[in-house]
Amino acid sequence: VSKPCRTAAGFFLCLAACYRLFLALRANLRYNRLVNRYRTKKGGQIMQQPIRIVSHSNSRLYADAIPGHFATNHSHINYYIDMSEIKHNMAMAIEAARSIAFRYSGVSVDTLLCLEGTEYIGAYVARALASSGIGSMNTNKNIYLVEPDVNVNGQFMFADNLRPMVEHRNALIMVNTASTGQTLSQARECIEYYGGRVAGYAALFSNITELDGKPVFSLFSGEDFPHYHNFVRGKNCPACAAGVPLDAIVTPRGYTKL
């Protein structure tokens, strides 16, 4: 028996340390089981099996959740929510736009700020909002679509010729994914810096429900993916703790395997 464990106090300290180790090992085991549940080996490579989920707001929309170990600009995530069909399939993009436009039909929108490849959907949203058939307060309005540049410090900015499309206007911010809300916050700061006002937030997938007192409308939410988790800056990521390497890097346009 080691010296620290020869006394009663030392014994309980050793017991507590063993219990903490047991909890950590159990957590890692559960995570590995979750990962392996959706992975099968094929041709010597690890193939990740996507899980198809139907949107809670529009049954005609679906997305694929790919399990794995992914890194975004702000966090590590255990699922990549693939919105490629919604962003690049015309029929799906129109359906998504109808849902978003219906939600914001009672909100004055002058400009759509489209981020992370949502500009195609944004065009359909603008058309739906300005349509006379949706009962929108934006009927027959000429709505602008803008996408900011990113400077060397990672901040959003607008060229001088685009500033009039933001200044003194109500902007609806659209993103592909809102895991932590950091991108939406950056977009809000950008709009306000150029003298605009945030009319609302829309995301294809959002793990948050509100930001700065305004609701975040989404076609898919964290409730649709009960096992989805994000770990800000990779802190407390169980995959990292278990030594699981990253599968891919997530970018605004998709993901790239490592």
Side-chain angles (χ1 to χ4, degrees):
V1 180
S2 61
K3 290 183 179 180
C5 293
R6 289 176 180 175
T7 65
F11 172 77
F12 285 110
L13 286 174
C14 288
L15 187 63
C18 291
Y19 182 66
R20 287 195 297 268
L21 178 61
F22 165 74
L23 292 178
L25 291 174
R26 186 176 66 172
N28 290 336
L29 180 61
R30 286 180 176 177
Y31 177 80
N32 290 332
R33 285 176 177 174
L34 178 63
V35 172
N36 292 331
R37 180 180 177 185
Y38 299 111
R39 289 184 172 185
T40 56
K41 287 190 175 181
K42 183 178 180 180
Q45 295 181 346
I46 298 297
M47 304 296 292
Q48 301 179 3
Q49 303 300 320
I51 306 166
R52 180 150 294 182
I53 304 294
V54 177
S55 169
H56 61 274
S57 62
N58 188 330
S59 60
R60 297 181 180 179
L61 299 175
Y62 61 83
D64 291 329
I66 304 174
H69 188 195
F70 302 92
T72 72
N73 287 340
H74 315 305
S75 64
H76 284 195
I77 54 177
N78 62 338
Y79 281 88
Y80 172 73
I81 312 301
D82 188 4
M83 299 291 177
S84 299
E85 284 292 320
I86 296 178
K87 291 195 293 184
H88 301 288
N89 181 302
M90 185 182 70
M92 294 271 280
I94 291 175
E95 282 295 332
R98 286 173 178 168
S99 296
I100 296 172
F102 180 78
R103 170 62 179 80
Y104 287 100
S105 60
V107 178
S108 177
V109 177
D110 304 306
T111 300
L112 288 174
L113 177 63
C114 301
L115 300 169
E116 302 177 341
T118 59
E119 58 270 16
Y120 302 121
I121 298 175
Y124 291 122
V125 171
R127 185 176 71 175
L129 284 172
S131 173
S132 59
I134 198 173
S136 171
M137 65 184 303
N138 302 292
T139 300
N140 297 325
K141 183 183 288 186
N142 187 20
I143 299 175
Y144 291 106
L145 274 77
V146 295
E147 182 179 4
D149 294 321
V150 182
N151 64 20
V152 294
N153 296 318
Q155 298 170 316
F156 294 135
M157 58 178 291
F158 287 108
D160 290 346
N161 56 301
L162 296 182
R163 292 186 181 189
M165 302 177 188
V166 176
E167 187 177 9
H168 306 309
R169 298 185 184 276
N170 300 313
L172 174 61
I173 300 173
M174 288 183 54
V175 297
N176 177 64
T177 300
S179 295
T180 63
Q182 185 165 336
T183 300
L184 291 177
S185 294
Q186 285 183 278
R188 173 185 56 79
E189 292 173 1
C190 177
I191 291 294
E192 293 176 349
Y193 176 82
Y194 287 101
R197 298 174 296 271
V198 175
Y201 303 103
L204 303 187
F205 167 77
S206 179
N207 201 39
I208 60 175
T209 57
E210 65 90 24
L211 181 67
D212 300 325
K214 289 183 179 293
V216 178
F217 174 75
S218 64
L219 302 176
F220 298 87
S221 70
E223 294 180 356
D224 296 316
F225 307 94
H227 297 299
Y228 176 91
H229 297 289
N230 66 283
F231 307 93
V232 179
R233 304 296 182 188
K235 293 181 179 179
N236 302 318
C237 174
C240 290
V244 178
L246 286 171
D247 293 315
I249 301 296
V250 177
T251 68
R253 301 289 177 176
Y255 67 92
T256 301
K257 292 181 179 180
L258 298 177

